[in-house]
Amino acid sequence: MNKKTVKKGLLPYVFILLIMLGIYYFFNVMNQKINVLTYNEFTDELTKGKVEEVEITPRDRAKTYELRGKLEGYKESESFFVRVPLSDEVMKKIIEENEVQNFKLTTIADPESSSLLLVIVNVLPFLLLIGFAFFFFSRQMAGNRNSMDFGKSKAKLNSDKNKVTFKDVAGLKEEKEEVKELIDFLKNPKRFQKLGARIPKGVLLFGPPGTGKTLLAKAVAGEANVPFYFISGSDFVELFVGVGASRVRDMFQQAKRNAPCLIFIDEIDAVGRQRGTGLGGGHDEREQTLNQLLTEMDGFGANEGIIIIAATNRPDVLDPALLRPGRFDRQVTVNLPDVRGREEILAVHAKNKVLAEGITLQNLAKRTPGFSGADLENLLNEAALLAVRRNKEKITMSEIDEATDRVLMGPAKTSHKYSENDRKLVAYHEAGHAVIGLKLDNANDVQKVTIIPRGSAGGYNMMVPSEEKLCSTKSDLLEQITGLLGGRTAEEVVFGEITTGAHNDFEKATKIARAMVTEYGMSDLGPLQFEQQEGSVFLGRDYNKSQHFSNEVANEIDMEMRKIINNCHQKATDIIKENQDLLKLIADALLEYETLTKEQIDYLVENGKMPEEDEDNLEAMSITKLRTLAKEKGIKNYSKMSKAELLKELDQ
């Protein structure tokens, strides 16, 4: 901790202590009653023998004795005070000849005879007063200086300790190529100027959260080895009007003094939103800040050698003036990584992880479509935490599966109790999804099925595409809808009853069906687009949005959606009825094991039974086997425990 900070932090407490001591002393003095006696009164009392206690302090400079004490009949808080000349014979006899009468005598040395004590008594109060005044006024001046710094830029200069290069950025091969020109220009600008080329003044990185936009910007600065200023878009906007614009001016002035350099603005949508939009009018301070940013990037002045990189995951809300050539010339989309990119990202984050034998990053990459770089890092970290919690020396596939479920759905609700009837309903519901996925030709691969509750779901079926596609065909979308309806269909076929468990499936299926009809032109209405991706109400885009089709067409859209859903539901019903034995087989296995992996499902489909249980892997065992082991160990109430509770008891 900084010593100066410690001293500044202690000063207020010292002053508070002095004030409290002063208050304590003041009240003590107020409560004391002091009777000032004359010399004759004192000698009379002394002669009568009424003096009980005397404290004598000689004052050489004043040539007197100061006497304090108590007389007979005085209260505890009452005392007398009298001054006696040094030449007084009575006092000389008492002090020098020790003629002590019937009272307690205490002699105190003259305090004025000690130079140190004299300084403390006379100088220290003034020093404390001056110190307190200096502290008070210095704090006031510091506050005034801070108030004058409102217009200063909050952009920070990145230190060499946190230097990031392209080696630290996995995947993003095309994105790196797009920004390499910036590095070449910063290192050798004459090469570009020779042919009259103008390097982009600004590069906008946009894409989903967690894909590595900020990391890529840091790598550009690290590779170019130039000053790198970074700031968040929210740091510009303040309560006071004009402060944001002043900070923009100051930021560019600092950058000009250190050119060539990079400026990175994270979450630029906080200050770069479209002007004049919204239900309540524009935000004056934000719009002034944006106007100043536009002027500094490409206005009346020239900012040679300054390159701006900005990042956002909302490019649709940015002002068009920001995106024109001369400002953000180049826009780079940082998408979610493909299977090869995920493998490279996993390799970066797995450097300090101890993985068990048989776990390959290639297989992990195939199992995690749609994961961002941040999701993959969190996946391996969660797996490592689980391995430590389970007292394992290596991260096994069991921890990775559990970590994947945690990232997607949240932690398992192992303490959640529900009846056997509910377990059976959930098992057949999830088995219905699995059967549809297994029997459809272009269906996604079933990776995992579980009836353990997570989040708001009583169970879930993890299915990933057999291969990643750029576009989806009509058949792909119809089979997705059919797979989503598999759970409800299984409930209808097996129990003749329906539950509320499929509400999320219906939400997804309806969304796909409506997009097929209104956006993709995949219905009998023809290749027409009736709706677009919805914007945001706060931008003033959807409020009182006009309808681009008549009521008759709206009715036809509803009929086409119903037609798609009904056809997919009928197809799901046919598949479930034709494969009721497989449905029962998977459902019974789920009731017994609660969780089935892809390998177990494949073995179950081929052989009609589960593979032999590994005695060393308790988590892969059935509930029946676990209860047998619990009985052998003498665990009480084992027959009423869930699988999670049995595993917890057996691990102890």
Side-chain angles (χ1 to χ4, degrees), residues 122 198 202 226 286 395 449 495 632-633:
N122 293 284
R198 179 182 63 81
V226 296
R286 181 178 57 77
I395 301 173
V449 185
F495 300 101
E632 294 174 356
K633 287 191 174 185

Side-chain angles (χ1 to χ4, degrees), residues 449-477:
V449 185
T450 180
I451 60 172
I452 298 175
R454 288 182 184 271
S456 59
Y460 83 99
N461 192 323
M462 190 175 91
M463 303 174 69
V464 300
S466 55
E467 60 178 357
E468 296 185 31
K469 299 178 181 180
L470 183 62
C471 298
S472 298
T473 64
K474 182 178 180 180
S475 300
D476 293 335
L477 296 176

Side-chain angles (χ1 to χ4, degrees), residues 464-522:
V464 300
S466 55
E467 60 178 357
E468 296 185 31
K469 299 178 181 180
L470 183 62
C471 298
S472 298
T473 64
K474 182 178 180 180
S475 300
D476 293 335
L477 296 176
L478 290 174
E479 290 189 355
Q480 286 183 34
I481 296 174
T482 305
L484 289 168
L485 298 176
R488 165 59 68 87
T489 304
E491 295 174 8
E492 294 173 343
V493 172
V494 176
F495 300 101
E497 187 61 86
I498 56 178
T499 67
T500 60
H503 67 93
N504 186 250
D505 299 331
F506 295 156
E507 180 183 349
K508 294 177 181 178
T510 304
K511 186 176 180 180
I512 295 173
R514 187 167 190 86
M516 290 177 65
V517 177
T518 62
E519 296 180 36
Y520 307 143
M522 294 180 177

Side-chain angles (χ1 to χ4, degrees), residues 284-297:
D284 290 338
E285 166 62 4
R286 181 178 57 77
E287 290 193 4
Q288 286 190 27
T289 306
L290 175 59
N291 292 338
Q292 186 63 43
L293 181 62
L294 295 174
T295 303
E296 292 289 346
M297 289 188 69

